[in-house]
């Protein structure tokens, strides 16, 4: 499964970006889809996940209330709407997938790096004035 993340760029603090994660020739219907990010000198961290089965979601505390993950099944695409961006959101953002598990219980464990099967190339997000 090939994943493609896009939508990154340079934005001022307080601005917004929408990232997209798409596949070609493969459905996302049976996967939990995740967004991770890695800032320079830091470990990669989970940002958000969405389950295919029940649309349950997970958000890291650092992005709750500012980011929103969503799916468009008709386009086989998952989005990460990022609002009120901060300089500390600067990172390379990756999408990844794993066999679907609901995020209603143990969301942090489900949305973890070690569980992901496929990864896309990252897209750079830079928040700076």
């Amino acid at each position: 499964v090939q994943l493609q993340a896009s939508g990154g760029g340079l934005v001022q603090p307080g601005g917004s970006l929408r990232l997209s994660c798409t596949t070609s020739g493969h459905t996302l219907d049976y996967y939990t889809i995740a967004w991770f990010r890695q800032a320079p000198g830091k470990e990669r961290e989970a940002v958000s996940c969405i389950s295919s089965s029940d649309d349950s979601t997970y958000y890291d505390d650092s992005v709750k209330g500012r980011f929103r993950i969503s799916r468009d099944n008709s386009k086989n695409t998952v989005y990460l709407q990022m609002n009120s961006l901060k300089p500390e959101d600067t990172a390379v953002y990756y999408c990844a997938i794993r066999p679907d598990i609901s995020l209603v219980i143990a969301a942090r464990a489900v949305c973890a790096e070690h569980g992901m099967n496929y990864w896309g190339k990252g897209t750079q997000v830079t928040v700076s004035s």
Side-chain angles (χ1 to χ4, degrees), residues 20-38:
S20 300
C21 178
T22 62
T23 68
S24 57
H26 201 94
T27 180
L28 292 175
D29 287 352
Y30 305 107
Y31 294 96
T32 292
I33 303 92
W35 285 100
F36 288 79
R37 67 185 180 187
Q38 187 168 22

Side-chain angles (χ1 to χ4, degrees), residues 46 58-61 64 103 105-114:
Y58 162 82
Y59 296 95
D60 184 76
D61 287 345
K64 279 182 181 176
L103 295 156
I105 299 174
R108 184 179 291 271
V110 173
C111 192
E113 184 172 353
H114 63 78

Side-chain angles (χ1 to χ4, degrees), residues 54-65:
D54 59 8
D55 282 336
S56 55
T57 57
Y58 162 82
Y59 296 95
D60 184 76
D61 287 345
S62 64
V63 305
K64 279 182 181 176

Side-chain angles (χ1 to χ4, degrees), residues 7-25:
L10 173 63
V11 64
Q12 292 187 342
S16 298
L17 283 174
R18 189 178 75 162
L19 305 184
S20 300
C21 178
T22 62
T23 68
S24 57

Side-chain angles (χ1 to χ4, degrees), residues 47-120:
V47 175
S48 181
C49 279
I50 186 166
S51 167
S52 300
S53 58
D54 59 8
D55 282 336
S56 55
T57 57
Y58 162 82
Y59 296 95
D60 184 76
D61 287 345
S62 64
V63 305
K64 279 182 181 176
R66 300 188 298 121
F67 290 11
R68 181 175 179 272
I69 192 170
S70 62
R71 296 158 48 89
D72 185 335
N73 292 337
S74 67
K75 296 182 179 179
N76 218 28
T77 300
V78 172
Y79 302 102
L80 185 68
Q81 178 67 44
M82 306 187 297
N83 300 323
S84 302
L85 283 161
K86 304 175 181 180
E88 52 263 44
D89 294 318
T90 295
V92 178
Y93 284 70
Y94 301 87
C95 61
I97 60 175
R98 60 160 298 155
D100 189 47
I101 299 178
S102 173
L103 295 156
V104 172
I105 299 174
R108 184 179 291 271
V110 173
C111 192
E113 184 172 353
H114 63 78
M116 301 298 153
N117 296 105
Y118 299 98
W119 292 82

